[in-house]
Amino acid sequence: MKLKLNNFDALIIVDLQNDFMPNGTLPVPDGDKIIPTLNSYIEMFYKAGNPVYFTRDWHPENHISFEGFGGIWPVHCVQNTEGAEFHKDLYIPPDNKFIISKGVKKEFDAYSGFQGTELNDLLKERGIKRIFVGGVATDYCVKNTVLGGLNLGYQVFVLEDGIKGVDVNRGDVERALDLMLEKGAVIINKGEIK
Ligand code: VGL
Ligand code: ZN
C-alpha cells in the first residue's frame, strides 16, 4: 500500500518509557530497538505539520495494577520517577504539548491512551480522522489504544515496524494483531507512507 499524509493524520507513540525498556521493571524485550524507527516517524509527522501525541503510564506508587495492591504487574512508571520518563533517545519535537498521562488515579488502570484521558478531545479539536499508532506493548497498551481509536470512529494504522510486545502467554502478540485487524485496523510499515 502507498499512502500520503494529509492534514487529518496524527501519530500516537505509546509508552516509550524507561520501565518498559530492557533495563526497566516491566521490560518489553527489544523495546528500545524500535526507537530509531519511531524517531523517523516522529520526524516525518513533525515536518509535515502533523501532531504527535506521546502517551505515558503515570501511576501513583500504590497503584491498583501493582502486585501487592491488587494487580499483576511489578511496580512501574511511578509518577515523577526516572522509570516513568521517556527513553532518552526518543525524539520529542520542540514545543510538543501533547503528553497524555494514563492510569493516574490509584483506583483505575488504563491500557488505552483514550481511557480517562483528554486524547479524544485533542484529536477532535484538530479534526483528526486517521491515527497511526506505534510503541509498546503490542499486546497491552498498543492493542487497547488501537481498539479504542477504532471504537471512537478513527481510521487506525498500526506501525508494524514500530511496535514491540511482551508475549506473557506465547501467542499474545499474534492474537493482538489478529484482533486489531479483525476490528478494522490496517497494518503498515514506514516505506508505505510518503
Ligand atoms: C502496560 C502493563 C501495565 C503497557 C502498562 O504500556 O503496555 N502494560 N501497564
Ligand atoms: Zn501500567
Side-chain angles (χ1 to χ4, degrees):
M1 190 202 313
K2 276 284 177 203
L3 186 149
K4 205 171 177 313
L5 286 190
N6 65 47
N7 289 340
F8 310 112
D9 292 336
L11 178 62
I12 299 177
I13 303 292
V14 177
D15 297 5
L16 252 283
Q17 295 166 274
N18 292 326
D19 275 340
F20 295 127
M21 297 294 114
N23 291 323
T25 60
L26 182 36
V28 177
D30 291 336
D32 54 344
K33 298 268 168 64
I34 57 176
I35 294 177
T37 306
L38 290 177
N39 284 346
S40 62
Y41 278 112
I42 294 164
E43 203 184 320
M44 178 196 291
F45 277 70
Y46 178 62
K47 282 190 171 154
N50 289 83
V52 182
Y53 300 83
F54 294 86
T55 73
R56 65 179 180 185
D57 239 21
W58 195 246
H59 299 318
E61 61 191 5
N62 54 357
H63 191 246
I64 189 176
S65 77
F66 296 166
E67 285 163 349
F69 297 91
I72 59 168
W73 302 113
V75 172
H76 64 278
C77 299
V78 172
Q79 294 165 11
N80 303 305
T81 64
E82 197 188 329
E85 282 170 23
F86 292 117
H87 190 287
K88 63 174 178 28
D89 296 336
L90 184 68
Y91 174 57
I92 312 242
D95 304 323
N96 187 295
K97 300 175 292 294
F98 306 128
I99 307 286
I100 308 294
S101 302
K102 62 187 168 61
V104 301
K105 291 252 170 65
K106 175 189 183 310
E107 302 83 5
F108 300 101
D109 198 15
Y111 288 144
S112 164
F114 289 100
Q115 209 179 330
T117 72
E118 66 279 28
L119 182 56
N120 187 40
D121 289 342
L122 293 172
L123 295 174
K124 284 268 149 60
E125 240 166 54
R126 292 190 60 136
I128 297 298
K129 301 272 187 286
R130 306 194 298 188
I131 60 175
F132 295 71
V133 183
V136 295
T138 309
D139 33 355
Y140 290 94
C141 288
V142 170
K143 174 178 105 173
N144 285 282
T145 301
V146 166
L147 298 178
L150 290 167
N151 259 322
L152 289 163
Y154 296 97
Q155 187 175 2
V156 184
F157 294 87
V158 182
L159 309 176
E160 186 174 32
D161 49 1
I163 53 177
K164 285 285 177 197
V166 282
D167 244 1
V168 172
N169 307 296
R170 231 178 106 219
D172 279 355
V173 168
E174 205 183 319
R175 281 188 290 275
L177 286 167
D178 282 347
L179 183 61
M180 292 187 259
L181 280 173
E182 189 188 310
K183 300 289 182 187
V186 176
I187 296 188
I188 59 157
N189 288 279
K190 191 160 172 282
E192 297 173 90
I193 308 179
K194 61 167 192 167

